[in-house]
């Protein structure tokens, strides 16, 4: 009897197991084919919304592209690839005008039909790169037209139109006019000639120096397409810690192939140069900018480059920073140093982008340095020099106040440098959409000319009358199939381009666009993952360095926590320099009782940050050293608030994991599983960050972990040991 019962139970459980497995497999499988992410946001899948699909199919029957240039060819190629897939229908691509709806693309010079619409007023408002997309009745037929003043404007308009379809927008009465708000919308690659990418976590450099110039890898064109689709029009292809060899004839020839691949897509090529190039590859015995031979060498070099690449953008320069050579060796300042290069490229219409990322071991407060070095030079740079300033005064930290240089240089073209690659945000492992960080930086009010002089307004030349304007994004693109490693790093690349085009867009709307194009238009995906994206950066701040803490990273690779770091050759490489925690309190005093860096801001901002009560709590420890008992707005003590934030960060990651789990049915398995696995790593890392910091700060404050929060099981020594034992793959620092 017992035996029979056992067999029966065994059979029943076997049956249940098999059934559950079947059920699991069933819900597990979505009907989406696997994707490797190579196409990024240019996926051109069949339009998901049936009503919209119907609308598009009826409105677009023939495509008419006027003109004849490599850019026009690129437009035709893109449309003939995209439209049949998006609409799953055959269209005419032979420029025939049908009486059932056409897509007409041209300038008033190349298209008689567009010319006949008499759009000169509208066209005069959009400049060289802008576009107009609208519905227009021509010869009694409803058409959609894309008009611009140049072929490049048409290309941007084409991608914008495709975006409408990809995001399933209603196109029945279109009226879009758009033009970029800054001139140079640029990527900075920190790629070494060895193909290791500094702070890049997505494989080797895209640029295959070994097979260039002969082999034009089609990936270069896909790179250009993706960038042009978000309005990027410039790229510096090599590391700012530059190898002088980039200027040798051998490498210039290789660069020609890249420039040729980028040109149809409107992307100008820049190179980062090493300031000692005249010596290192030019055979001179000095690189003094005022030496006549050096001046001549740069002129000759520029002439040679422009001979080979007529639309070459110019030079990007990191000088006298982190050991890079520069004009200081000859007792010349940054302006003298930059101007010699500027003179060399000026006859060819080139620019010199001079970076303001400088800090020396002598300074009491690294925050102050760039401002103190560059403000006295305002007005001394040639007109074709642009100063490139990182968003914050230190270095791409999870949260920084804006750099006081924005708004302090009325006579020096100033552009904004943002970081897309997640050097300080968990590399290719953590989900941390940077759109919100970019938006926060861009929207910061400098008060340079009273309220409403945001960083975006400054770098677009609205506050001061800059000759050249721009934004640069440091990217990690590599030869990994999906370009960025973590699929969501693509969203920060996308957001950078969209914001560089129009800094008034919001991170939220950009995230929505990106998700629709990259994953699906299904609201059941968009709602939860939109929330995840919008909170992801804040989660990263919370589990690493909330309330204005900075730079608690392990030295070198910047991945894991090491708030205990002290006694390095330079104090500003240690964590204790930044948090200044002891048994009484924590934070960097930048008021008059400390470094007084707050004085670098315009009055209104200075007043806000100078006063502990008006400093937003997110920035509190950036500007004030406060006792652990300091009362926060919530009524908690600073100590309690800090610990709660650390715990909240971990909970946010767990919440992100749950949200991700909920969208399994709506996307392909491959990308679902990748992100899921990465979130698991992120959760583990977040716990490590939290416990390391909480235990370390507790060792100083002596205060208990607030009630209701689980105490870490392991002790501080264990977390310290992880700094030595956990391997972190990071090119240049470990390999
Ligand atoms: C820091 C990076 C370093 C870069 C430097 C820079 O750690 O690798 O070379 O910035 O911007 O963030 O020059």
């Amino acid at each position: 009897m017992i035996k029979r019962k056992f067999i029966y139970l065994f059979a029943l459980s076997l049956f249940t197991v098999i059934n559950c497995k079947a059920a699991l497999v069933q819900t597990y499988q979505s009907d989406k084919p696997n994707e490797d992410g190579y196409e990024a946001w240019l996926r051109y899948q069949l339009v998901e919304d049936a009503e919209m699909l119907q609308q598009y199919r009826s409105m677009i029957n023939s495509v008419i592209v006027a003109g004849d240039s490599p850019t026009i060819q690129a437009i035709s190629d893109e449309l003939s690839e995209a439209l049949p897939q998006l609409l799953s229908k055959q269209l005419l691509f032979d420029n025939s005008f049908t009486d059932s709806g056409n897509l007409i693309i041209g300038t008033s010079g190349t298209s008689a039909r567009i010319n006949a619409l008499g759009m000169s007023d509208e066209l005069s408002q959009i400049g060289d790169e802008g576009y107009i997309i609208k519905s227009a009745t021509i010869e009694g037929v409803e058409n959609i037209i894309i008009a611009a003043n140049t072929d490049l404007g048409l290309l941007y308009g084409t991608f914008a139109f495709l975006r409408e379809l990809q995001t399933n927008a209603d196109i029945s009465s279109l009226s879009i006019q758009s033009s970029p708000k800054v001139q140079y919308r640029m990527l900075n690659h920190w790629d070494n000639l060895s193909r290791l990418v500094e702070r890049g976590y997505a494989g080797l450099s895209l640029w295959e120096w070994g097979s260039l110039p002969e082999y034009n890898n089609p990936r270069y064109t896909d790179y250009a397409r993706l960038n042009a689709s978000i309005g990027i029009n410039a790229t510096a292809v090599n590391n700012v810690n530059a190898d002088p060899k980039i200027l040798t004839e051998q490498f210039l020839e290789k660069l020609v192939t890249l420039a040729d691949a980028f040109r149809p897509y409107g992307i100008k090529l820049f190179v980062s140069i090493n300031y000692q190039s005249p010596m290192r590859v030019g055979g001179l015995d000095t690189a003094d900018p005022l030496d006549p031979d050096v001046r001549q060498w740069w002129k000759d070099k520029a002439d040679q480059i422009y001979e080979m690449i007529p639309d070459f953008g110019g030079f990007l320069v990191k000088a006298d920073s982190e050991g890079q050579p520069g004009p200081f060796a000859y007792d010349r300042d940054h302006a003298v140093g930059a101007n010699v290069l500027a003179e060399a490229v000026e006859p060819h219409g080139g620019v010199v982008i001079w970076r303001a990322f400088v800090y020396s071991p002598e300074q009491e407060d690294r925050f102050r340095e760039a401002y103190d070095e560059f403000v006295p030079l305002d007005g001394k740079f040639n007109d074709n020099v642009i100063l490139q300033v990182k968003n914050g005064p230190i270095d791409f930290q999870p949260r920084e106040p804006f750099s006081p240089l924005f708004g302090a240089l009325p006579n020096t073209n100033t552009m904004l440098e943002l970081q897309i690659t997640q050097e300080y945000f968990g590399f290719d492992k953590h989900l941390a959409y940077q759109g919100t960080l970019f938006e926060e930086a861009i929207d910061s009010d400098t008060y340079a000319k009273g309220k409403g002089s945001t960083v975006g307004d400054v770098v677009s030349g609205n506050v001061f009358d800059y000759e050249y304007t721009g934004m640069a994004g440091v990217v990690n693109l590599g030869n990994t199939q999906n370009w960025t490693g973590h699929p969501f790093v693509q969203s920060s690349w996308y957001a950078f381009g969209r914001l560089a085009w129009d800094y008034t867009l919001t991170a939220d709307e950009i995230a929505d666009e990106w998700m629709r194009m990259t994953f699906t238009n299904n609201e059941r995906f968009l709602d939860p993952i939109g929330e995840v994206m919008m909170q992801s950066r804040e989660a990263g701040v919370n589990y690493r360095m909330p309330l204005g803490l900075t730079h608690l990273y392990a030295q070198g690779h910047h991945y894991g926590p090491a708030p205990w770091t002290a006694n390095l050759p330079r104090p500003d490489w240690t964590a204790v320099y930044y948090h200044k925690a002891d048994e009484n309190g924590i934070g960097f005093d930048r008021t008059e009782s400390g470094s007084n860096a707050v004085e670098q801001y315009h009055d209104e901002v200075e007043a806000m940050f100078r006063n502990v009560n008006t400093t937003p709590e997110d920035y509190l420890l950036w500007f004030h050293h406060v006792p652990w008992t300091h009362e926060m707005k919530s009524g908690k003590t600073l100590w309690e608030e800090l610990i709660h934030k650390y715990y909240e960060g971990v909970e946010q990651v767990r919440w992100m994991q749950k949200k991700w789990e909920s969208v399994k049915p709506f996307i392909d398995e491959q990308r679902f599983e990748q992100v899921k696995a990465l979130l698991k790593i992120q959760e583990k890392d977040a716990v490590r960050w939290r416990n390391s910091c909480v235990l370390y700060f507790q060792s100083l404050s002596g205060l208990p972990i607030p009630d209701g929060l689980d105490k870490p099981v392991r002790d501080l020594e264990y977390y310290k040991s992880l700094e030595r034992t956990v391997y972190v793959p990071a090119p240049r620092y470990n390999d």
Side-chain angles (χ1 to χ4, degrees):
M1 184 68 195
I2 291 177
K3 210 172 170 193
R4 264 175 60 194
K5 196 172 172 193
F6 178 77
I7 293 169
Y8 169 75
L9 280 177
F10 179 73
L12 186 73
S13 54
L14 199 69
F15 178 77
T16 323
V17 167
I18 293 168
N19 258 343
C20 281
K21 252 192 143 175
L24 265 180
V25 170
Q26 243 172 30
T27 52
Y28 183 77
Q29 276 170 345
S30 82
D31 56 352
K32 315 276 182 206
N34 277 335
E35 293 187 46
D36 61 18
Y38 180 79
E39 292 172 310
W41 52 87
L42 296 182
R43 282 164 65 251
Y44 305 142
Q45 302 281 306
L46 175 65
V47 170
E48 291 163 284
D49 183 310
E51 199 186 325
M52 286 302 127
L53 178 60
Q54 183 66 18
Q55 181 191 75
Y56 305 161
R57 280 183 170 161
S58 69
M59 292 180 71
I60 312 168
N61 294 293
S62 176
V63 177
I64 304 173
V65 189
D68 178 20
S69 71
T71 301
I72 291 295
Q73 188 58 49
I75 293 172
S76 299
D77 291 350
E78 200 68 34
L79 290 171
S80 47
E81 167 85 14
L83 291 176
Q85 294 185 59
L86 282 162
L87 309 188
S88 184
K89 108 172 197 177
Q90 296 297 320
L91 296 98
L92 297 173
F93 282 97
D94 59 0
N95 284 348
S96 53
F97 187 86
T98 71
D99 57 10
S100 52
N102 310 287
L103 175 64
I104 306 176
I105 300 169
T107 65
S108 39
T110 55
S111 164
R113 289 193 180 91
I114 287 189
N115 192 32
L117 291 173
M119 297 170 62
S120 48
D121 273 2
E122 286 164 81
L123 287 167
S124 68
Q125 291 163 22
I126 61 167
D128 279 352
E129 295 176 301
Y131 57 82
I132 292 166
I133 308 175
K134 63 179 191 178
S135 316
T137 312
I138 300 173
E139 297 165 31
V141 178
E142 261 307 298
N143 301 283
I144 296 167
I145 62 145
I146 303 177
N149 294 312
T150 63
D151 292 349
L152 183 57
L154 297 176
L155 179 71
Y156 292 141
T158 300
F159 280 118
F161 177 67
L162 289 172
R163 185 160 62 232
E164 295 292 303
L165 306 188
Q166 289 176 276
T167 56
N168 296 1
D170 183 349
I171 61 164
S172 55
S173 60
L174 282 170
S175 175
I176 300 174
Q177 178 174 322
S178 182
S179 39
K181 293 191 164 54
V182 304
Q183 284 165 281
Y184 288 101
R185 306 176 298 278
M186 184 172 190
L187 292 188
N188 286 184
H189 291 261
W190 286 354
D191 293 18
N192 295 316
L193 304 187
S194 66
R195 296 191 66 206
L196 285 184
V197 180
E198 182 159 339
R199 312 304 185 183
Y201 318 100
L204 294 176
S205 169
L206 292 173
W207 325 127
E208 297 174 347
W209 300 115
S211 57
L212 284 164
E214 289 82 1
Y215 179 49
N216 179 1
N217 189 329
R219 193 161 187 165
Y220 305 148
T221 298
D222 286 333
Y223 165 86
R225 287 175 53 234
L226 283 164
N227 281 313
S229 76
I230 49 175
I232 284 167
N233 67 353
T235 182
V237 292
N238 62 318
N239 194 352
V240 287
N241 299 317
D243 187 324
K245 279 200 293 297
I246 193 77
L247 291 181
T248 58
E249 181 144 7
Q250 194 187 143
F251 272 91
L252 295 181
E253 279 166 5
K254 298 173 193 294
L255 291 171
V256 169
T257 301
L258 294 180
D260 288 348
F262 302 162
R263 189 168 298 110
Y265 293 88
I267 295 170
K268 273 188 198 280
L269 185 131
F270 281 70
V271 294
S272 301
I273 59 104
N274 181 298
Y275 207 77
Q276 275 180 353
S277 300
M279 298 161 75
R280 306 265 302 271
V281 295
L284 302 186
D285 56 11
T286 176
D288 180 354
L290 294 186
D291 182 281
D293 291 341
V294 171
R295 281 185 117 111
Q296 191 58 44
W297 188 85
W298 283 113
K299 279 203 167 82
D300 293 344
K301 188 48 77 181
D303 292 349
Q304 182 193 13
I305 298 174
Y306 279 93
E307 182 73 34
M308 300 168 81
I309 307 172
D311 56 351
F312 180 69
F315 299 133
L316 172 63
V317 195
K318 172 175 178 179
D320 290 312
S321 160
E322 295 187 328
Q324 291 302 308
F328 288 6
Y330 312 99
D331 233 0
R332 319 290 183 205
D333 63 27
H334 290 290
V336 173
N339 290 345
V340 64
L341 302 173
E343 274 168 31
V345 294
E346 196 271 336
H348 308 282
V351 295
V352 168
I353 300 179
W354 194 267
R355 296 178 79 235
F357 178 68
V358 291
Y359 63 106
S360 72
E362 286 85 45
Q363 267 276 13
E364 179 211 343
D365 181 2
R366 175 171 166 185
F367 185 117
R368 299 192 58 113
E369 179 121 359
Y371 182 101
D372 287 345
E373 267 187 43
F374 284 96
V375 168
L377 300 177
D378 186 35
K380 297 202 172 132
F381 290 93
N382 286 7
D383 288 349
N384 62 331
V385 177
I386 313 176
L387 203 64
Q388 183 169 299
V389 181
K390 289 188 181 181
N391 59 287
I394 303 288
D395 187 15
F396 297 138
Q397 295 301 292
R399 170 164 280 120
E400 296 204 31
F402 69 93
S403 163
L405 273 173
F406 296 109
L409 297 165
N411 303 304
T412 307
N413 307 312
T414 307
M415 66 191 260
L416 169 65
E417 180 178 317
L418 296 165
Q419 194 174 46
I420 298 165
T421 187
Q422 293 180 187
E423 172 180 355
Y424 293 103
F425 267 102
F427 295 4
D428 58 331
K429 319 259 183 316
H430 294 195
L431 195 165
Y433 170 54
Q434 301 291 297
T436 45
L437 186 157
F438 300 163
E439 183 180 44
E440 184 174 289
I442 288 168
D443 289 349
S444 301
D445 200 342
T446 70
Y447 282 83
K449 285 205 177 152
K451 194 170 167 46
S453 317
T454 65
V455 169
D457 296 330
V458 171
V459 300
S460 61
N462 285 342
V463 173
F464 309 120
D465 192 16
Y466 290 156
E467 175 105 12
Y468 292 103
T469 59
M471 287 193 204
V474 177
V475 274
N476 70 325
L477 310 183
N479 68 352
T480 293
Q481 189 65 5
N482 75 2
W483 307 85
T484 51
H486 198 302
F488 276 75
V489 177
Q490 286 184 1
S491 67
S492 304
W493 175 16
Y494 183 87
F496 168 76
R498 298 287 287 128
L499 285 166
W501 180 275
D502 181 355
Y503 66 90
T504 67
L505 294 173
T506 67
D508 209 358
E509 63 190 305
I510 295 172
D512 186 68
E513 264 176 22
W514 177 80
M515 287 186 294
R516 288 173 183 275
M517 297 165 81
T518 307
F519 285 103
T520 173
N521 281 276
N522 188 331
E523 303 289 343
R524 292 173 69 190
F525 178 90
L526 299 172
D527 291 346
I529 303 309
E531 280 182 57
V532 163
M533 288 179 73
M534 291 304 288
Q535 284 205 33
S536 58
R537 179 269 185 140
E538 205 59 44
V541 171
N542 286 338
Y543 60 74
R544 288 192 186 85
M545 34 201 97
L547 301 179
L549 286 173
T550 320
H551 228 309
L552 308 183
Y553 296 91
Q555 167 61 16
H557 56 66
H558 298 160
Y559 186 79
W564 44 77
T565 317
N567 303 324
L568 289 171
R570 286 177 59 154
D572 53 357
W573 288 349
T574 68
V576 297
Y577 168 90
Y578 292 101
H579 62 66
K580 306 216 184 301
D582 58 21
E583 68 270 30
N584 301 317
I586 183 168
F588 200 127
D589 182 1
R590 294 192 161 99
T591 69
E592 61 278 17
S593 46
S595 74
N596 208 19
V598 292
E599 69 176 350
Q600 297 181 331
Y601 287 110
H602 286 279
D603 292 350
E604 292 82 346
V605 183
E606 176 186 343
M608 173 179 68
F609 286 142
R610 194 178 280 290
N611 181 340
V612 71
N613 296 316
T614 55
T615 301
E617 288 185 346
D618 283 341
Y619 297 97
L620 182 66
L621 305 178
W622 266 99
F623 295 104
H624 301 278
H625 186 82
V626 283
W628 296 113
T629 50
H630 174 82
E631 190 182 331
M632 303 294 285
K633 296 206 172 74
S634 62
K636 295 192 185 89
T637 64
L638 167 67
W639 167 257
E640 291 162 346
E641 184 92 0
L642 186 72
I643 305 308
H644 273 283
K645 287 272 179 198
Y646 273 113
Y647 276 75
E648 187 186 336
V650 171
E651 288 317 312
Q652 282 171 300
V653 178
R654 292 179 178 152
W655 167 85
M656 282 159 57
Q657 287 182 291
K658 286 207 189 83
K659 291 277 169 185
W660 187 254
E661 202 59 56
S662 78
V663 300
K664 190 152 79 172
F666 311 118
I667 63 167
D668 58 290
E669 184 183 335
Q670 185 170 342
R671 291 186 297 167
F672 174 80
E673 288 298 338
Q674 186 184 7
V675 173
K676 180 178 167 162
L678 293 171
L679 280 166
K680 209 165 162 188
I681 299 176
Q682 184 167 359
E683 196 263 351
K684 202 168 90 192
D685 288 344
V687 170
R688 178 180 160 203
W689 263 98
R690 178 194 72 189
N691 290 354
S692 300
C693 294
V694 165
L695 291 170
Y696 169 71
F697 290 131
Q698 189 181 38
S699 75
L700 301 170
S701 76
L703 294 166
I705 292 177
D707 287 347
L709 303 177
D710 293 339
K711 316 217 169 357
V713 179
R714 317 295 292 256
D715 65 4
L716 180 58
E717 287 316 305
Y718 167 77
Y719 285 102
K720 282 188 173 173
S721 75
L722 296 184
E723 189 192 347
R724 295 184 303 276
T725 54
V726 175
Y727 175 68
V728 179
R732 175 167 162 200
Y733 289 93
N734 281 342
D735 292 333

